[in-house]
Amino acid sequence: MTSSELWTRATADRYDAEETEMSSAAVLGPTLAFLSDLAGDGRALEFAIGTGRVGVPLRERGVPVAGIELSEHMAAVLRRKVDEETLPVAIGDMATTVVPGRFSLVYLVYNTITNLLTQDEQVECFRNAARHLEPGGRFVIELGVPPLRFLPPGQVAVPFDVSERHLGFDTFDLVEQILVSHHFTLDSKGEGEGDDGRYRRGASRHRYAWPAELDLMARIAGLELERRVADWEGAPFTQDSAKHISVWRKPA
């Protein structure tokens, strides 16, 4: 068990409904194209595969996919979509869990590397990726750039979503490199019944890391930076980019 916080059954059951935008064709199309191109004719391994938002449609594209997932509840939701033979999932943490075989692609999307709350665990995650890669294979991470430039002296919170149904903001411990994402989500009474006017509160802890820190982790694991872009469409990564897609390669 790592320091990652476990997703509960209730959170897993409502995850897909609350992430409809991230599951849309507009978001998934470029993501799947990027990953399938890197996988080529090989196999892909998704760390923290969750409910299969990316892994299931990537498998439907013809890429053989396996997954590692810490939460049995999240994996149970995935299992409603696809059977174990089609998309095998190992229950365990992404820093140490080993699955059979070698892969041309290992990937982590949607900021999931930050679920590991210590630098040592994040380093081990890179080592685990390298352990599973065949020579010439790639490790891909999608991660937001820490928004510390929005923190004037004395401020510890940064909003990331202010919409009709959801309020979200992050608070920061700048010494420990820990952020806490706070969510206030408008609850619904049920299908077709409208809203009950109450907000459900949730929070999760994350260890943020800069791109340069990840590059050093990759070097420790024997991987080399091959490419860094600002989004799945391949836009250039600049000092104003809010996130990055980084690709490290295992030397042949």
Side-chain angles (χ1 to χ4, degrees), residues 18-39:
E18 293 184 348
E19 295 293 345
T20 54
E21 181 179 353
M22 292 300 296
S23 300
S24 66
V27 172
L28 278 182
T31 306
L32 299 175
F34 192 106
L35 294 174
S36 61
D37 181 63
L38 287 181

Side-chain angles (χ1 to χ4, degrees), residues 85-146:
E85 183 177 353
T86 303
L87 202 166
V89 175
I91 302 300
D93 70 83
M94 57 187 165
T96 62
T97 302
V98 177
V99 301
R102 291 292 179 267
F103 299 82
S104 61
L105 173 67
V106 178
Y107 65 94
L108 258 175
V109 297
Y110 207 12
N111 304 318
T112 317
I113 185 72
T114 66
N115 289 356
L116 298 170
L117 299 179
T118 70
Q119 186 183 69
D120 286 344
E121 289 172 353
Q122 291 178 352
V123 169
E124 288 305 312
C125 182
F126 272 82
R127 284 180 167 152
N128 201 28
R131 183 181 299 123
H132 285 91
L133 286 173
E134 61 189 26
R138 274 90 170 190
F139 182 36
V140 175
I141 284 182
E142 174 190 25
L143 182 60
V145 176

